[in-house]
Amino acid sequence: MNFEKKLNSRNIKPTNMRLLVLQQLVESEAALSLTDLEGKFHRADKATLYRTLKTFEEKKLIHSIEGKGSVKYALCEEGCECAPQDQHVHFNCEKCAETFCFTQTKVPSLKIPNGFKAKSANMVYHGICANCS
Amino acid sequence: MNFEKKLNSRNIKPTNMRLLVLQQLVESEAALSLTDLEGKFHRADKATLYRTLKTFEEKKLIHSIEGKGSVKYALCEEGCECAPQDQHVHFNCEKCAETFCFTQTKVPSLKIPNGFKAKSANMVYHGICANCS
DNA sequence: GTTCTTGCAAAATATTTGCAAGACG
DNA sequence: CGTCTTGCAAATATTTTGCAAGAAC
């Protein structure tokens, strides 16, 4: 994968820092929290990483997953607009605390009460993951 | 509703503090964060409220909702065991930041990859609520 | 008196912002 | 130069624990 092209495709200027962060996200099996990400680098500023993640999220290169503890981030799929219908389900393991994307399992479309307008959805299962059981 | 009976039914000793917290949860339209709850009282210790919420959650009197910002809590329905199939969907408004329970809309049962064991689910829509649109 | 609960203090963790220096066009 | 990005510092918010006094049985 060409990281630079990937950033450009989402209108993100490909700086050095951003390329490195993207690389970490690509290489990671599980979703990463800000602290996780910080730990991947020998020496990195948390505020910069924070803003990098925010930029990535805003440009829909990554999506955030709200679960136990801190928010985690993972790469979006090609063409994802983060609307409820193109989001997938996540799994958070209560033993190892890892968060996984079930990209095969889309968030189902549900009818919600009148007047409510859903822009995105966050669906996370909690339990024991395949590695820990 | 008899608050004392409700606590007893979940094996929670009905202290004064707990009765007051339960009352707030019952009276509240939306789910409450720890800080929200603290704000409902003139003078209350956050640690006590925190532990009260934890106790309530553990005994399945309330359920936690992980969304933007802090975790929020709302009453469980009668007989709820907080397993994926008896949980409902939530809605978090990005304008007023309130979190609502859609008790009519259950979390759908999905097939998840082999080896993963789901004990609970957290499904939250983000968008604009009926009051704010 | 033993166990559970509460209040106060403070630690630990997570998220966010201000500001000035640096990079880039 | 003008704009965007980064690093350092620090504020803010949130979650969690220790410990001793108090309440309940």
Side-chain angles (χ1 to χ4, degrees):
Chain A
M1 174 179 338
N2 186 328
F3 295 154
E4 202 164 326
K5 195 175 286 181
K6 200 165 178 69
L7 290 178
N8 279 322
S9 77
R10 292 288 188 169
N11 276 308
I12 303 166
K13 201 185 297 181
T15 67
N16 228 332
M17 190 77 243
R18 288 171 181 169
L19 287 165
L20 289 171
V21 171
L22 174 55
Q23 182 176 16
Q24 290 302 332
L25 288 161
V26 169
E27 287 178 358
S28 179
E29 279 287 315
L32 297 175
S33 68
L34 176 57
T35 307
D36 294 338
L37 184 61
E38 192 187 18
K40 299 282 184 183
F41 293 96
H42 177 52
R43 196 181 56 83
D45 176 53
K46 189 172 272 198
T48 301
L49 296 176
Y50 172 77
R51 282 184 279 226
T52 302
L53 288 173
K54 286 292 171 187
T55 302
F56 283 9
E57 186 182 17
E58 194 181 321
K59 302 291 190 176
K60 292 170 178 158
L61 177 66
I62 64 177
H63 57 279
S64 62
I65 307 147
E66 298 141 8
K68 301 255 183 259
S70 52
V71 178
K72 304 211 171 190
Y73 299 88
L75 281 181
C76 284
E77 297 162 75
E78 281 300 324
C80 169
E81 287 301 323
C82 295
Q85 65 273 13
D86 46 36
Q87 290 181 291
H88 52 255
V89 170
H90 297 93
F91 190 98
N92 177 243
C93 178
E94 61 191 31
K95 206 161 167 185
C96 65
E98 300 263 52
T99 296
F100 305 94
C101 289
F102 288 171
T103 49
Q104 306 301 350
T105 310
K106 298 297 173 202
V107 171
S109 288
L110 300 179
K111 187 168 279 180
I112 59 175
N114 283 336
F116 289 85
K117 289 187 196 61
K119 295 187 182 173
S120 68
N122 182 65
M123 184 165 176
V124 184
Y125 283 110
H126 296 289
I128 307 290
C129 77
N131 298 329
C132 290
S133 61
Chain B
M1 176 180 336
N2 185 328
F3 295 154
E4 202 164 327
K5 196 175 286 180
K6 197 163 181 71
L7 290 178
N8 280 324
S9 76
R10 291 289 187 169
N11 275 309
I12 303 166
K13 201 186 295 181
T15 67
N16 227 333
M17 189 79 242
R18 288 170 181 169
L19 287 165
L20 289 171
V21 171
L22 173 55
Q23 181 177 16
Q24 290 301 333
L25 288 161
V26 169
E27 287 179 357
S28 178
E29 280 287 315
L32 297 176
S33 68
L34 176 56
T35 307
D36 294 337
L37 183 61
E38 193 187 17
K40 299 283 185 181
F41 294 95
H42 177 53
R43 196 181 56 83
D45 177 52
K46 190 172 273 197
T48 301
L49 296 175
Y50 172 77
R51 283 183 279 228
T52 301
L53 289 173
K54 286 292 172 188
T55 302
F56 282 9
E57 185 182 18
E58 194 182 320
K59 300 293 190 174
K60 293 170 178 157
L61 177 66
I62 64 177
H63 58 279
S64 62
I65 307 148
E66 297 142 8
K68 302 254 183 262
S70 52
V71 178
K72 304 212 171 189
Y73 299 88
L75 280 183
C76 284
E77 297 161 75
E78 281 301 323
C80 169
E81 286 302 322
C82 293
Q85 65 274 14
D86 46 36
Q87 290 180 291
H88 52 254
V89 170
H90 297 93
F91 190 98
N92 177 243
C93 178
E94 60 192 31
K95 206 161 166 184
C96 66
E98 299 262 54
T99 295
F100 304 94
C101 289
F102 287 170
T103 50
Q104 306 301 351
T105 310
K106 297 295 173 202
V107 171
S109 288
L110 301 179
K111 188 168 278 178
I112 60 175
N114 283 336
F116 288 85
K117 288 186 198 63
K119 295 186 182 174
S120 68
N122 182 63
M123 184 166 178
V124 185
Y125 283 110
H126 295 290
I128 308 289
C129 77
N131 299 329
C132 290
S133 62

